[in-house]
Amino acid sequence: LRPSYAIEKIPLRIGHGFDIHRMAPLAEAGQPVVIGGVVIDHLPQKWTDAEGRYVEKGGVYETELGVVAHSDGDVIYHSIVDAIFGALTLPDIGQVFQDTDPRWKGCDSSKF
């Protein structure tokens, strides 16, 4: 189909984003797991402490897990923001919202 009127070309921009954060015992991480703005509550699980960081080496340690991050560590929001920044040819999320900036400490990632 070819319309009789001119069609303005729309530029297409694609961004790709991903994010990872280390999970650790809640006491060490200091914050729960948050995915897509939802706090993931869960019962403590039993983990074998292979390195002996929390109990004797090889012992069983019972804990909830949290996410080690400067903000709330929400991997969904961080990935989306990173993809949008990429499509706009901006620096990645870590350069814009630096983990050395106290304004972002514990920040709700939906603010990004």
Side-chain angles (χ1 to χ4, degrees), residues 8-78:
E8 181 179 318
K9 291 186 177 183
I10 300 173
L12 176 66
R13 295 183 182 256
I14 296 174
H16 173 78
F18 73 95
D19 192 55
I20 58 173
H21 289 280
R22 183 171 66 87
M23 295 182 77
L26 189 56
E28 179 185 334
Q31 58 195 1
V33 177
V34 179
I35 301 175
V38 177
V39 175
I40 307 299
D41 291 321
H42 58 281
L43 298 174
Q45 302 292 311
K46 292 181 181 180
W47 303 92
T48 302
D49 189 351
E51 298 174 358
R53 291 181 68 182
Y54 309 104
V55 294
E56 70 281 351
K57 192 172 185 176
V60 175
Y61 182 68
E62 191 169 325
T63 184
E64 290 182 56
L65 290 179
V67 176
V68 178
H70 186 68
S71 66
D72 66 2
D74 189 322
V75 294
I76 298 291
Y77 278 130
H78 292 187

